[in-house]
Amino acid sequence: MAVSMSSTCPGLYCGKTIINSINGSIEGECGVCPRGERTTIEKICKKCELSPELYDWLYLGFMAMLPLVLHWFFIEWYSGKKSSSALFQHITALFECSAAAVVTLLVSDPVGQLTIRSCRVQMLSDWYTMLYNPSPDYVTTLHCTQEAVFPLYTIVLIYYAFCLVLMMMLRPLLVKKIACGLGKTDRFKSIYAALYFFPILTVLQAVGGGLLYYAFPYIILVLSLVTLAVYMSASEIQSFKNLVAKKKRLVVLFSHWLLHAYGIISITRLNKLSQDLPLLALVPGPALFYLLTARFTEPNRILSEGGNGH
């Protein structure tokens, strides 16, 4: 028995669920769609059965990288130059985030598989359905708040929860064993920092998830360029010889190059490989430009030339 369409539901995200009975399928009342479903144009709740697009995976990768990058930053900040524990903490942080990502995929629908089903993101309002609850009679509000971008909104929050749990299970034991070169208070500061930035990341995803979804490629490019310039300036890298003097500097450089490439791929989405792939040749550009022009902008040289009247 075919479903007969009645009057459509008000609002953008209110829909009718299909109830299967002995006599066939009938429509339910207008309301919120169950989790994992969203309304169609006909205002019928339909299960999300599509696979995420490349851009969706890149967004999830960006949100997964944030706690890892912050872990590495604070580990390096508080470990000190002479500490031999930094490398082990970096590896542990990578393991924590990787394990959390795998567990998050396994517990997501479909459970037990490293894949997820999702709904397509159509517009910015899909991330903020709570702002679009209609009032048909201007008195009673019909609450239709749902995850229209299933599961891009909640899966990030679940991932952060697993990251925090794994960190609290593994990191304190590791730090206590190997961070002997630090004081009793300093050795746990990177963990304390995580206890601050995880709530911040959670609020950021909860409030600004939709904005980040559309802006993250440009955020990656801008921040990676700025941090690379700041690092090279602070490390007084003004030539290729200074750059290759320490392996750590090469690691930082290649890490930023990967971020540059990630941002370019996210912007282009590789829709046209013949046009988009050549853009990756621009990745070394900012570092090369810095090395070639750094000696002309060295502050002491500018001051000395100014003092000599040149």
Side-chain angles (χ1 to χ4, degrees), residues 76-213:
E76 196 67 28
W77 183 270
Y78 290 117
S79 293
K81 296 181 179 180
K82 297 182 179 180
S83 176
S84 59
S85 67
L87 177 61
F88 295 100
Q89 292 187 64
H90 286 316
I91 295 174
T92 304
L94 177 61
F95 173 78
E96 293 165 3
C97 294
S98 301
V102 172
V103 173
T104 301
L105 291 177
L106 291 176
V107 300
S108 300
D109 195 9
V111 179
Q113 301 181 26
L114 293 176
T115 58
I116 56 176
R117 60 180 182 87
S118 68
C119 293
R120 289 284 181 265
V121 180
Q122 300 175 5
M123 49 188 171
L124 180 61
S125 61
D126 290 347
W127 292 85
Y128 305 102
T129 57
M130 75 289 294
L131 303 177
Y132 294 88
N133 292 322
S135 299
D137 56 359
Y138 301 100
V139 176
T140 304
T141 300
L142 187 59
H143 295 282
C144 297
T145 301
Q146 59 186 281
E147 189 179 7
V149 295
F150 175 86
L152 301 182
Y153 190 89
T154 54
I155 196 172
V156 175
L157 303 178
I158 295 171
Y159 166 74
Y160 288 161
F162 280 122
C163 282
L164 183 60
V165 170
L166 289 174
M167 182 196 71
M168 295 306 297
M169 291 174 59
L170 301 177
R171 194 84 63 82
L173 298 176
L174 176 72
V175 172
K176 186 176 181 180
K177 292 291 184 181
I178 66 176
C180 299
L182 300 174
K184 291 184 178 180
T185 57
D186 293 338
R187 67 176 67 180
F188 293 107
K189 282 187 175 180
S190 62
I191 300 177
Y192 297 152
L195 297 179
Y196 282 98
F197 69 67
F198 268 120
I200 294 174
L201 291 178
T202 301
V203 173
L204 187 65
Q205 166 66 8
V207 177
L211 300 176
L212 288 174
Y213 179 81

Side-chain angles (χ1 to χ4, degrees), residues 8-15 39-41 43 132-136 142 144:
T8 59
C9 297
L12 290 175
Y13 301 103
C14 295
T39 56
T40 62
I41 299 177
K43 297 298 182 178
Y132 294 88
N133 292 322
S135 299
L142 187 59
C144 297

